[in-house]
């Protein structure tokens, strides 16, 4: 530490007092600065790191079952209170699982179907940038997925053959929820990709077919902390780049309590509408089926007190009627 030279007209004792005052002031400034930096470093835990590094991730608190529960229980205990749930291995041995991973079968039955394909695997500006998308038929997609990192994400045409053996559980067992079934779509990617941090306007029964997916999900109450819709054209997207969270620009991200759910082939997860989520895909092929239902635009007619009194005995028949 160095000080400027004091004028000669100041007496020796005065110089000593002034020097001591300056020394103490500098020491106080250094201590205050060090304390501020320490707090800043602590607050910026996970700065410029992927989503999930900013706060301790919660594991093991999402309800899990090794079999599907009945429709009334699902309606009462999960759909109505908007609670996520995981059903482990419940579709592992279904015929649809075998067909959807069979490239020859899919080319024959689904190859001519045209769908939208995302061509972005990293998100520099989060939801502020729309993914470059193009339309192609599924056969062309299958050829390109071996060479490129691309992402098929589109609705399966109503009544299509590949839906015939799809096991459709919980929602349409209840007449109240059957009427809210919206559509079914397929997602397939080349692995090693992720999607922008966002929420969905409808409930999702996510059927995982092949690969591995790690979900980070958070209650809809954290919408503001996720900056959902605040700086993007879409009201459901977060502008936060998921692979590098800037906590100086988006400090509230450190407040979000994320639950981690790792899905394996054969698992089904229920994600309530408006729950925030960020998903990382690993393994090729990486295939999933989404059953969308219960959006807030079509559930206004449902009873305020959930009861699910009317239960259909044949969900597959209802699906066929719907599609």
């Amino acid at each position: 530490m160095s000080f400027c030279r004091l004028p000669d007209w100041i007496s020796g004792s005065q110089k000593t007092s002034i020097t001591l005052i300056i020394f103490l002031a500098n020491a106080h400034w250094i201590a205050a600065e060090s304390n501020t930096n320490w707090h800043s470093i602590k607050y910026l835990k996970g700065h410029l790191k992927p989503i999930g590094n900013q706060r301790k991730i919660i594991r093991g608190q999402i309800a899990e079952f090794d079999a599907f529960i009945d429709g009334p229980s699902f309606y009462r205990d999960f759909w109505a209170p908007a609670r996520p749930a995981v059903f482990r291995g419940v579709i592992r041995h279904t015929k649809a699982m075998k067909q959807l991973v069979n490239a020859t079968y899919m080319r024959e039955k689904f190859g001519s179907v045209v769908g939208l394909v995302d061509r972005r695997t990293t998100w520099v500006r989060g939801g502020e940038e729309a993914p470059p998308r193009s339309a192609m038929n599924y056969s062309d997609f299958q050829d390109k997925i071996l060479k490129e990192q691309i992402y098929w994400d589109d609705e399966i045409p109503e009544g299509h053959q590949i839906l015939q053996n799809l096991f459709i559980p919980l929602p349409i067992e209840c007449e109240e929820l059957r009427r809210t079934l919206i559509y079914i779509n397929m997602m397939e990617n080349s692995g090693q990709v992720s999607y922008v941090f966002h929420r969905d306007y409808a409930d999702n029964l996510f059927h995982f077919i092949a690969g591995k997916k790690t979900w980070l999900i958070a209650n809809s109450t954290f919408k503001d902390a996720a900056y959902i819709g605040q700086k993007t054209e879409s009201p459901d997207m977060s502008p936060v780049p998921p692979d590098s969270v800037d906590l100086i620009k988006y400090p509230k991200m450190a407040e979000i309590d994320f639950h981690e759910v790792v899905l394996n082939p054969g698992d089904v997860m229920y994600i309530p509408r408006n729950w925030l989520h960020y998903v990382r895909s690993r393994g090729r092929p990486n295939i999933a089926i989404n059953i969308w239902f219960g959006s807030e635009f079509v559930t206004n007619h449902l009873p305020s007190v959930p009861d699910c009194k009317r239960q259909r005995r044949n969900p597959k028949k209802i699906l066929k009627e719907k599609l």
Side-chain angles (χ1 to χ4, degrees):
M1 186 182 300
S2 61
F3 303 99
C4 61
R5 180 179 175 83
L6 295 174
D8 293 335
W9 54 266
I10 298 177
S11 67
S13 60
Q14 289 177 322
K15 286 183 179 180
T16 301
S17 298
I18 293 173
T19 300
L20 180 59
I21 291 172
I22 294 175
F23 175 83
L24 292 174
N26 275 273
H28 178 76
W29 179 85
I30 291 172
E33 185 68 14
S34 299
N35 192 50
T36 298
N37 289 340
W38 183 84
H39 282 294
S40 297
I41 292 171
K42 183 179 179 181
Y43 182 71
L44 294 180
K45 177 182 181 294
H47 178 54
L48 299 182
K49 292 185 177 181
I51 284 178
N53 286 276
Q54 296 70 41
R55 191 179 179 91
K56 186 176 180 180
I57 291 177
I58 302 170
R59 296 180 174 90
Q61 291 191 12
I62 301 300
E64 293 196 8
F65 303 87
D66 57 9
F68 279 125
I69 59 178
D70 61 87
S73 296
F74 173 74
Y75 188 110
R76 179 185 63 250
D77 299 332
F78 294 95
W79 182 82
R83 290 179 56 208
V86 179
F87 304 90
R88 295 291 184 187
V90 290
I91 60 169
R92 184 182 299 140
H93 302 296
T94 61
K95 190 173 182 179
M97 280 280 294
K98 298 177 181 179
Q99 292 175 335
L100 291 169
V101 297
N102 186 321
T104 301
Y105 172 86
M106 290 298 290
R107 282 180 183 272
E108 177 184 346
K109 305 297 183 181
F110 201 66
S112 62
V113 173
V114 176
L116 292 176
V117 175
D118 291 350
R119 294 183 174 274
R120 184 180 299 282
T121 58
T122 58
W123 303 87
V124 179
R125 294 187 295 116
E128 291 185 87
E129 54 184 332
R133 310 190 84 189
S134 60
M136 67 176 68
N137 66 47
Y138 186 75
S139 289
D140 289 342
F141 171 80
Q142 283 292 306
D143 293 335
K144 293 179 181 296
I145 198 174
L146 300 175
K147 306 173 185 178
E148 305 175 23
Q149 288 189 320
I150 51 180
Y151 203 127
W152 177 288
D153 184 2
D154 209 346
E155 182 177 350
I156 299 174
E158 292 188 4
H160 195 278
Q161 185 174 348
I162 70 169
L163 292 172
Q164 292 180 0
N165 295 307
L166 188 65
F167 184 74
I168 312 295
L170 318 175
I172 54 178
E173 289 188 9
C174 289
E175 177 69 16
E176 290 91 338
L177 290 183
R178 181 196 68 81
R179 290 176 289 172
T180 74
L181 188 62
I182 305 170
Y183 67 90
I184 300 174
N185 80 307
M186 184 174 74
M187 303 169 66
E188 182 174 352
N189 64 68
S190 53
Q192 306 303 316
V193 302
S194 63
Y195 198 69
V196 67
F197 184 34
H198 68 290
R199 66 177 182 177
D200 292 307
Y201 73 93
D203 297 276
N204 183 7
L205 270 177
F206 185 87
H207 291 54
F208 193 43
I209 308 299
K212 186 174 183 177
K213 285 190 185 290
T214 300
W215 286 68
L216 294 180
I217 63 176
N219 197 295
S220 59
T221 55
F222 289 105
K223 177 181 73 72
D224 291 339
Y227 302 89
I228 291 290
Q230 294 185 17
K231 295 185 179 181
T232 67
E233 294 182 2
S234 170
D236 300 314
M237 300 293 181
S238 169
V240 179
D243 297 322
S244 181
V245 178
D246 187 338
L247 286 177
I248 297 176
K249 188 176 182 180
Y250 303 110
K252 292 182 180 180
M253 284 291 294
E255 302 173 5
I256 300 177
D257 290 325
F258 281 106
H259 297 262
E260 181 183 79
V261 179
V262 178
L263 295 183
N264 296 302
D267 294 342
V268 173
M269 181 164 69
Y270 165 61
I271 307 99
R273 62 183 180 275
N274 295 327
W275 269 61
L276 315 173
H277 51 279
Y278 169 62
V279 187
R280 301 188 188 103
S281 300
R282 300 291 182 267
R284 176 186 296 179
N286 201 288
I287 305 171
I289 298 291
N290 298 281
I291 302 176
W292 297 101
F293 69 102
S295 84
E296 56 193 27
F297 303 112
V298 296
T299 55
N300 293 332
H301 64 279
L302 294 183
S304 57
V305 179
D307 49 24
C308 195
K309 291 179 179 178
R310 292 172 291 178
Q311 184 175 354
R312 293 298 186 102
R313 294 182 179 274
N314 192 338
K316 289 186 178 181
K317 182 178 179 180
I318 298 305
L319 176 65
K320 186 176 180 181
E321 293 173 357
K322 175 72 177 180
L323 300 178

